[in-house]
Amino acid sequence: MLDAREHTQQAGRVKFSKLILYLFVVGVGLFLVVEVLVRLLFPQPLDPGRTFVVENEIPGLKPKVRYKIDVNQIRGFESTKAKPDGALRILCVGGDSTSTMLQAVEDTWWGQLGAKLEASLGKEVQIGCITALRSAEIIGGAQWIDHMLGEVDGVDLVIAMYGHRAVLAPGVNFRFDPQSIEPIIFESKQGLMFNLASASHVVRLARNAHIKSKRDAQQRQLGKPNHLRDRFTAAGQAFRSITKTTSAPPRATDPRSKYLHGIGVFTEIAKRHGVKLLILGEPTVFSERPSPDAAETLYTPVQIGPESSDFARPASSWVDSELGRYYAAASKLCEAAAVPFVNLHGAIEPSRDKFYTEATLTDAGALKLAEELLPSVEKLLK
């Protein structure tokens, strides 16, 4: 009696196991069929990138701009594709005028430089910039370049342009220690969902739909008429409302050390990856005696105390002097490392015709910068 019952139970377990196995095989088969159909009917990139349309009525800039970046946060060319035979690839990184959302690619300084290089060299020139937030600061920019040179095929030249934020934004308690620099975590290419999406188009389709919903929300914000113009206007008004002024903000240590270390990091990275490097001194409106026209473009205060309200308007002559001091040291450092350095400080007229903000160029200002750079870049690439 007991043996019969055990036999019946064992037979039931075998049947259940076979059913589970059958359902598993059928499930896997159905998933593979769906996977094939999705691949054929709905091919998906691993990441859809980002495309925004911004509209701002700003003198000297086009009113409607399409801003598109790829999965590597590069704007200007599709960095996930192999470099075409005979083409040149240039990666640019820097502050406000490099990664601006206010200009179409063809109107940025690097876009206009690329067009001039194609005309003069007779080759296809793929030129783009890194748009990641951390890349607007010199150490973060170097880290991004290091990462991208391992991701992007055939980069011939890196152009790095810094100075404005290095002078104005270190903070009153600034102390620079190269050992304390935090590495950037490139989250867009990490994690379970990314790995699953790499293998499965079904997962990729679901992941991209989620990404798209988030970016649609960003578009609704950025796509509001004059959204960016109004933000800059508000920043300028807040700047002009500050009553304190300073010609020598206190710093615990000289922040130039971080700027120069960043240049050294760029130099080491370029040599390690075997690419050419050009360092630029960033142009701004700051001068010894600024015109009222130029003063209207200012919006960045400096911190003068530990409290969040301890800010002052820096004297234009002080910023002008500091930029000159930074760039003189950078020139010597680059000369010792056999890296070309072009100082653009004062090369562009500090007027509203050339600058929209203290360090953001209009289309005419971008053209002037491209013209200034063309001989140096031609020499590097010939």
Side-chain angles (χ1 to χ4, degrees), residues 89-223:
R89 267 190 175 172
I90 304 172
L91 265 184
C92 303
V93 64
D96 294 357
S97 279
T98 302
S99 57
T100 177
M101 294 186 74
L102 295 172
Q103 290 175 308
V105 167
E106 63 271 18
D107 297 317
T108 62
W109 67 262
W110 46 269
Q112 296 194 62
L113 174 64
K116 291 181 179 298
L117 287 169
E118 283 194 339
S120 65
L121 300 178
K123 295 182 179 181
E124 178 184 357
V125 176
Q126 294 189 338
I127 188 167
C129 82
I130 295 175
T131 63
L133 184 63
R134 283 276 299 274
S135 70
E137 179 268 327
I138 192 166
I139 299 293
Q143 291 174 318
W144 267 95
I145 283 292
D146 192 20
H147 181 71
M148 286 300 104
L149 290 177
E151 297 280 327
V152 181
D153 176 53
V155 175
D156 299 285
L157 172 66
V158 169
I159 302 177
M161 183 167 74
Y162 292 96
H164 168 246
R165 294 192 186 196
V167 168
L168 290 175
V172 69
N173 293 321
F174 174 81
R175 285 181 174 83
F176 178 61
D177 177 8
Q179 302 302 318
S180 68
I181 294 173
E182 296 181 4
I184 293 175
I185 299 174
F186 299 93
E187 296 177 346
S188 63
K189 293 192 174 184
Q190 293 184 359
L192 177 62
M193 286 303 294
F194 178 81
N195 292 328
L196 290 175
S198 299
S200 167
H201 260 59
V202 173
V203 177
R204 192 178 297 185
L205 183 66
R207 179 175 181 265
N208 286 354
H210 175 65
I211 291 172
K212 185 177 183 300
S213 68
K214 291 171 62 177
R215 293 176 183 172
D216 285 346
Q218 290 177 307
Q219 173 60 57
R220 287 192 292 273
Q221 181 72 15
L222 291 169

Side-chain angles (χ1 to χ4, degrees), residues 11 282 317:
E282 188 174 16
S317 58

Side-chain angles (χ1 to χ4, degrees), residues 163-164 167 284 286 318-328 345:
H164 168 246
V167 168
T284 70
F286 295 101
W318 173 79
V319 181
D320 175 68
S321 175
E322 283 293 277
L323 288 169
R325 188 172 70 91
Y326 277 46
Y327 297 157
H345 184 46

Side-chain angles (χ1 to χ4, degrees), residues 232-275:
F232 278 115
T233 299
Q237 291 172 343
F239 176 85
R240 288 186 288 276
S241 71
I242 297 173
T243 57
K244 297 177 183 177
T245 60
T246 181
S247 58
R251 268 83 185 263
T253 58
D254 187 354
R256 189 180 67 171
S257 58
K258 182 179 180 181
Y259 172 74
L260 296 177
H261 179 80
I263 292 176
V265 174
F266 268 107
T267 300
E268 185 275 326
I269 288 168
K271 289 181 179 178
R272 175 156 42 85
H273 287 278
V275 302

